[in-house]
Amino acid sequence: MGVPRPSWSALPAALRAAIAGRLGAAVVTARVAPAGFTGGFAAVLDTAAGGRVFVKAAAVAGQPHLVDSYAREAAILERLPVGLPAPRLRWTLHEAGWFVLCTDAVDGHTPRLPWVPAELDATLAGYAEVAAALADPPAGLRALGLPHLADLARSDILWWEEVVAGREPTPALPEAVRGRMPELVALESRLPRYAAEATGMIHGDLRVDNVLVDGDGRAWFCDWTWVCSGPAWFDVAGLLLTAYADGLDTDRLFAAHPASAGAPPDALDATLAALAGYYLTGADTAPVTVSPHLTAHRRRSGGQALDWLARRQGWR
């Protein structure tokens, strides 16, 4: 079933005291983040002095993968180009066997679904700003040795090939797609080659629950753990899955986005094939340490990617 996020009161007293000490005032309210799929602590904290921050925390012994993830995100945030719509890193802390990451709190909300046109426009425009800034990443960001999407694709994204080889179970597929395994394998196999040509960096996990829209209508991008070298159009395709589910003209939105300029003609199809394979083959293998909602998210996202691809390919 997975585990829920801990509350502020569930954290060790020594950890709560250390966080309050770094903030310079007692924590008076803690609003646990409703989104996300990990069991780590994540909340907006308000202090008695009127300050407000966003804090993530994970136990070194019980959640070492989250500690590594949060530490990587902190290093990335510290090296992002100045001015990007991303929360600013304030500090990190090791205390009471926990690792803590503190950033500015974005006063905003996750985009509403079905997508509100103004919020979708703001999100796409904001990501165009991110993609342009990361097209030539700062030396400090490159120095982190972050992975390349092409390398990840070679080892981790050829899921339909794994299904055909019998190394992954065949996920439940709509009738129109069941006989299309050779096409799915062929399409997803193009992604590593296309990704290898990219020289910039991408967010790597761009989806609606990693976006916040502030009171001025500006989109902010959160959860920067999975930054990698790769083509920005990969992020755009992943973001647009929910827009496709809303019945919007996502072919047009993808083609019109600045990040898609110069993309191979079948870049979107290759990405959708890979995303469908990733989500659907992993839907029933989520570890018990993550949110119980992860399986439903993977099934939903994989179905959206596969349906969009099937429509584009004329399979239905």
Side-chain angles (χ1 to χ4, degrees):
M1 284 293 294
V3 293
R5 293 191 187 279
S7 65
W8 170 251
S9 61
L11 299 182
L15 177 63
R16 286 183 276 130
I19 292 172
R22 288 298 299 264
L23 295 176
V27 173
V28 293
T29 61
R31 288 170 289 152
V32 174
F37 299 108
T38 71
F41 176 78
V44 174
L45 305 183
D46 291 292
T47 71
R52 176 174 292 174
V53 297
F54 181 70
V55 164
K56 294 180 180 181
V60 174
Q63 300 169 308
H65 61 293
L66 279 184
V67 171
D68 291 344
S69 175
Y70 292 167
R72 181 168 59 249
E73 182 179 13
I76 289 168
L77 288 174
E78 196 171 31
R79 292 163 175 80
L80 286 179
V82 176
L84 280 192
R88 178 178 62 93
L89 177 69
R90 292 200 176 190
W91 45 261
T92 60
L93 173 70
H94 286 273
E95 183 69 34
W98 286 63
F99 177 81
V100 183
L101 161 67
C102 178
T103 70
D104 288 345
V106 177
D107 189 10
H109 63 273
T110 302
R112 292 162 285 183
L113 296 179
W115 277 96
V116 174
E119 293 182 355
L120 179 57
D121 289 346
T123 302
L124 291 171
Y127 187 68
E129 180 183 345
V130 169
L134 294 182
D136 184 17
L141 194 58
R142 288 196 181 278
L144 290 177
L146 299 172
H148 200 295
L149 181 63
D151 297 326
L152 296 174
R154 290 188 190 95
S155 61
D156 295 326
I157 295 186
L158 300 181
W159 291 281
W160 297 117
E161 184 176 285
E162 294 294 288
V163 169
V164 169
R167 292 186 290 268
E168 288 283 353
T170 303
L173 299 173
E175 185 176 353
V177 181
R178 289 174 193 163
R180 301 292 182 176
M181 204 62 68
E183 291 97 323
L184 289 170
V185 170
L187 284 170
E188 73 170 355
S189 68
R190 299 173 193 174
L191 184 60
R193 183 172 75 255
Y194 294 157
E197 299 170 356
T199 57
M201 288 188 171
I202 61 175
H203 180 279
D205 193 24
L206 192 62
R207 57 180 198 256
V208 65
D209 56 295
N210 283 339
V211 179
L212 291 172
V213 178
D214 68 17
D216 295 325
R218 188 186 189 194
W220 293 75
F221 300 92
C222 308
D223 291 340
W224 287 82
T225 301
W226 304 112
V227 170
C228 60
S229 296
W233 44 259
F234 179 87
D235 272 349
V236 176
L239 176 67
L240 288 175
L241 292 180
T242 48
Y244 172 78
D246 290 344
L248 301 180
D249 187 355
T250 43
D251 287 351
R252 178 188 62 81
L253 292 170
F254 179 86
H257 197 276
S260 300
D266 57 353
L268 177 55
D269 300 293
T271 302
L272 292 175
L275 289 175
Y278 163 70
Y279 283 125
L280 293 176
T281 60
D284 296 318
T285 59
V288 296
T289 54
V290 301
S291 164
H293 304 297
L294 181 58
T295 292
H297 161 70
R298 286 180 173 175
R299 286 177 179 159
R300 181 173 58 250
S301 299
Q304 291 163 352
L306 194 59
D307 193 70
W308 186 2
L309 177 63
R311 183 190 58 74
R312 286 177 53 81
Q313 294 291 314
W315 297 343
R316 61 171 182 79

